[in-house]
């Protein structure tokens, strides 16, 4: 029978990009609007700032995530190509190398040699990719997936404080945006923690704390420059 057990590590690729994008969307857009509002600007300017931040941030997240993850993918491909060449040049040496890896993990030398020999016969490159290079299906780089997840989640995260700014009274915009954004961040932390199997309180506190710090610092800078200008 096939082993159908599912593990949460399979979610790491898209979960990391999605949580990072949504978190950045909320924190960046809320902080940006709060900083501009603290400088005593008009409601129209604040909303325009939020929209510009949403578009620019989503594109920046997509480009940055794609480039960085593609660099990881290129490195993985280069390592696999090198390993494939070594396997073709000296398979016996590669078998000894795999044997040493298994022996270091606790297998008896003879058993380690048998395991290495059988895995080399079944899928030599796959065995070395997994056990020597640490490249597996769950952790392999997927640039397009990461870019789309980051951009879409950033846009959705940024839309939340922007929507609040649309309905909040202008004079109370800062507390409205700050309070609701911190609530959104806490909920995001809970959802991410539950999806990844982590502690929900730790996940909620972590994103909320850093979000509050970013908003407070940005508000302070906005108020300072507003007073100077």
């Amino acid at each position: 029978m096939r082993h159908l057990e599912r593990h949460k590590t399979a979610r790491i690729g898209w979960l990391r990009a999605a949580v990072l994008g949504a978190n950045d969307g909320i924190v960046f857009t809320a902080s940006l609007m709060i900083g501009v509002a603290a400088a005593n600007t008009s409601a129209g300017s604040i909303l325009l700032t939020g929209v510009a931040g949403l578009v620019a941030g989503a594109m920046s997240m997509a480009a940055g995530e794609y480039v960085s993850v593609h660099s990881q993918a290129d490195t993985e491909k280069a390592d696999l190509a090198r390993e494939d060449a070594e396997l073709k040049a000296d398979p016996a040496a590669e078998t000894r190398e795999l044997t040493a890896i298994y022996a270091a993990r606790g297998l008896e030398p003879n058993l380690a040699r048998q395991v290495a020999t059988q895995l080399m016969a079944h899928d030599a490159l796959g065995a070395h990719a997994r056990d020597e290079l640490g490249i597996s299906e769950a952790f392999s780089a997927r640039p397009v997936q990461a870019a789309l997840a980051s951009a879409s989640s950033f846009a959705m995260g940024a839309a939340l404080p922007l929507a609040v700014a649309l309905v909040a009274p202008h004079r109370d915009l800062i507390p409205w945006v700050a309070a609701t954004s911190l609530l959104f961040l806490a909920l995001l932390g809970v959802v991410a923690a539950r999806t990844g199997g982590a502690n929900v309180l730790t996940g909620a506190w972590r994103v909320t704390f850093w979000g509050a710090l970013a908003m407070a610092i940005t508000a302070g800078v906005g108020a300072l420059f507003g007073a100077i200008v």
Side-chain angles (χ1 to χ4, degrees):
M1 296 180 62
R2 296 182 61 187
H3 182 63
L4 298 177
E5 183 178 353
R6 297 180 181 273
H7 296 280
K8 297 182 185 298
T9 52
R11 305 171 180 173
I12 285 178
W14 64 264
L15 179 62
R16 181 192 65 83
V19 171
L20 176 64
N23 181 83
D24 279 4
I26 296 172
V27 174
F28 177 79
T29 307
S31 299
L32 194 61
M33 290 192 296
I34 288 173
V36 173
N40 297 317
T41 54
S42 66
S45 297
I46 296 170
L47 292 176
L48 179 60
T49 300
V51 172
L54 185 155
V55 176
M59 295 305 298
S60 176
M61 287 290 293
E65 195 73 19
Y66 181 83
V67 170
S68 62
V69 177
H70 211 295
S71 297
Q72 177 186 341
D74 290 341
T75 302
E76 291 177 355
K77 289 179 181 177
D79 279 344
L80 288 174
R82 176 182 177 183
E83 196 65 33
D84 188 47
E86 291 176 350
L87 285 167
K88 293 176 180 177
D90 194 351
E94 293 301 304
T95 302
R96 290 193 298 270
E97 186 176 30
L98 208 57
T99 299
I101 292 173
Y102 296 144
R105 293 179 182 176
L107 293 182
E108 293 292 333
N110 290 334
L111 179 58
R113 188 179 304 107
Q114 293 176 25
V115 172
T117 301
Q118 291 187 28
L119 289 178
M120 288 280 290
H122 174 68
D123 182 8
L125 184 59
H128 280 271
R130 180 181 59 253
D131 296 319
E132 181 185 351
L133 304 177
I135 300 174
S136 65
E137 182 66 23
F139 298 99
S140 60
R142 296 180 177 87
V144 175
Q145 181 191 66
L148 292 176
S150 293
S152 58
S153 58
F154 182 97
M156 288 187 289
L160 296 175
L162 186 58
V164 173
L166 282 170
V167 300
H170 179 60
R171 64 179 182 178
D172 297 325
L173 186 142
I174 292 178
W176 271 70
V177 171
T180 54
S181 295
L182 291 177
L183 176 61
F184 295 146
L185 287 171
L187 292 175
L188 173 65
V190 170
V191 171
R194 287 183 62 86
T195 305
N199 183 280
V200 294
L201 293 178
T202 301
W205 176 88
R206 185 165 49 214
V207 296
T208 304
F209 170 78
W210 287 107
L213 182 62
M215 292 177 209
I217 293 175
T218 309
V221 173
L224 176 63
F225 276 85
I228 294 175
V229 177

